[in-house]
Amino acid sequence: MAEDATRPLLAVRGLEVHFPVARGLLSRRAIAKVRAVDGVDLDLARGEAVGLVGESGCGKSTLGRAILQLIRPSAGEVRFDGRELGGLAEAELRPMRRRMQMVFQDPFSSLNPRMTVGNAVIEPMLAHGLASRSDAGERAAALFRMVGLDPQMLRRYPHEFSGGQRQRVGIARALAVEPDFVVCDEPVSSLDVSIQAQILNLLIELRHRLGLTYVFISHDLAVVRHLADTVAVMYLGEIVEHVAAERLFEAPAHPYTRSLLAAVPEVGGKHAAARDVVESETGSAEARPSGCAFHPRCPVAQPRCRTEPPPLMAIGPDRSHRVRCWLYG
């Protein structure tokens, strides 16, 4: 039992997701590959919330889907509660899927427009044998109350709800199968600012109430600071910095992280400076630069950065701050 208590709920090792690039629309011959996720290691303890941040196209959402096996990884392993998921057939993966759920960015497109929201919440319970049809309605009503919705809304269709209400429905559907782990893929980015705060507070409350473990994907650093225990910064498929949330905002180590913070002055505070902002756009995951992937945009790049890819190094007094940069080599 002691071993189980200390084991991370989620352990990701060397995870890669590569997509082939064909020459023409009908061609099956791959001429290149997009390295969307490229050798990611990540551990999550039970009850922990990690924020996954970075620019669009850095691989955040692909990583979240690969962890859940919605996209099968090209290499590496994902261990959930000690069990490796990559080698499991769909029938073996089914009971594991109940414990791993996702809240999607767009609550409207993730709901069936021809199905009432009540049925959208009830269907997963029935599929996993968690309730009889007679009991499922009561459970759905309880879930609606938990996420701040009136149970009388169960008979409505998705188009009859506001964006914030639809996201509450999406959260209720994810909770319907009593998961341990939830990937939140930019769940507030499409909502008004005032509604964002309500949904964030709801996710925080549910995490503590139900003991949930989160991977929270976002491009908004203020949102991540509000919710996450640790933050992992991604650039071109790699984690370039991973540390406790407060430490990241107080003492960012990687030049890319400093650039992200500098672009949001109210988050970066005194540690952000205009000189830290990089003007060029993110590179291509199809044609990655040699050496450090960030070196073409880095204001402090050294000759070594152009030829040698840096490993993820442990720095700081307790060695818990990890950064992929030769400045700390």
Side-chain angles (χ1 to χ4, degrees), residues 8 70 111 115 131 159 167 171 189 205 211 233 247 249 256 305-306 326:
L70 299 178
L111 294 169
M115 181 182 288
H159 72 271
Q167 195 57 286
I171 294 169
S189 63
E205 176 192 342
V233 181
R247 176 69 178 169
F249 291 97
Y256 177 60
C305 303
R306 296 176 174 83
W326 283 124

Side-chain angles (χ1 to χ4, degrees), residues 81-328:
D81 203 10
R83 189 169 187 188
E84 211 282 302
L85 303 180
L88 299 181
E90 283 299 320
E92 298 173 299
L93 197 56
R94 183 182 175 86
M96 304 299 289
R97 289 197 189 281
R98 183 193 69 76
R99 300 178 60 194
M100 305 181 297
Q101 289 294 302
M102 191 165 197
V103 176
F104 295 91
Q105 177 178 357
D106 183 356
F108 189 72
S109 63
S110 66
L111 294 169
N112 187 336
R114 299 186 179 185
M115 181 182 288
T116 66
V117 295
N119 283 334
V121 173
I122 288 170
E123 192 175 62
M125 301 182 203
L126 301 179
H128 287 279
L130 296 176
S132 64
R133 186 165 288 278
S134 59
D135 294 335
E138 292 183 11
R139 288 170 60 104
L143 282 168
F144 261 43
R145 284 190 287 268
M146 185 183 296
V147 299
L149 293 174
D150 188 335
Q152 293 185 357
M153 296 178 171
L154 284 165
R155 296 183 180 180
R156 296 184 185 178
Y157 288 85
H159 72 271
E160 300 179 77
F161 291 83
S162 68
Q165 288 174 328
R166 281 195 291 266
Q167 195 57 286
R168 291 176 187 269
V169 173
I171 294 169
R173 182 180 59 180
L175 297 180
V177 291
E178 302 173 0
D180 301 307
F181 170 61
V182 180
V183 174
C184 302
D185 188 7
E186 305 220 33
V188 298
S189 63
S190 63
L191 306 177
D192 293 338
V193 174
S194 60
I195 306 302
Q196 286 184 11
Q198 295 175 21
I199 299 299
L200 281 176
N201 288 333
L202 173 62
L203 289 169
I204 292 169
E205 176 192 342
L206 293 171
R207 175 194 166 195
H208 294 298
R209 181 174 176 178
L210 303 176
L212 298 173
T213 303
Y214 286 158
V215 166
F216 191 91
I217 299 169
S218 180
H219 63 273
D220 189 331
L221 289 161
V223 165
V224 170
R225 186 174 196 175
H226 188 59
L227 182 140
D229 300 313
T230 65
V231 179
V233 181
M234 285 193 72
Y235 186 77
L236 286 186
E238 296 178 326
I239 290 178
V240 297
E241 187 163 4
H242 189 192
V243 69
E246 285 307 310
R247 176 69 178 169
L248 183 93
F249 291 97
E250 290 171 2
H254 199 281
Y256 177 60
T257 308
R258 291 200 293 267
S259 173
L260 293 178
L261 290 169
V264 190
E266 65 273 21
V267 176
K270 65 180 181 180
H271 296 284
R275 66 177 180 273
D276 290 324
V277 179
V278 291
E279 300 296 336
S280 57
E281 295 185 3
T282 186
S284 168
E286 180 182 345
R288 286 173 58 92
S290 60
C292 172
F294 186 62
H295 88 258
R297 304 173 70 193
C298 183
V300 292
Q302 306 166 7
R304 184 181 191 183
C305 303
R306 296 176 174 83
T307 57
E308 297 180 52
L312 199 60
M313 310 172 208
I315 65 172
D318 60 358
R319 315 294 286 174
S320 64
H321 193 158
R322 308 197 65 170
V323 60
R324 192 183 300 275
C325 182
W326 283 124
L327 289 176
Y328 309 91

Side-chain angles (χ1 to χ4, degrees), residues 50-65:
V50 61
L52 200 58
V53 302
E55 295 166 301
S56 296
C58 71
K60 306 184 300 293
S61 295
T62 302
L63 174 58
R65 285 165 167 75

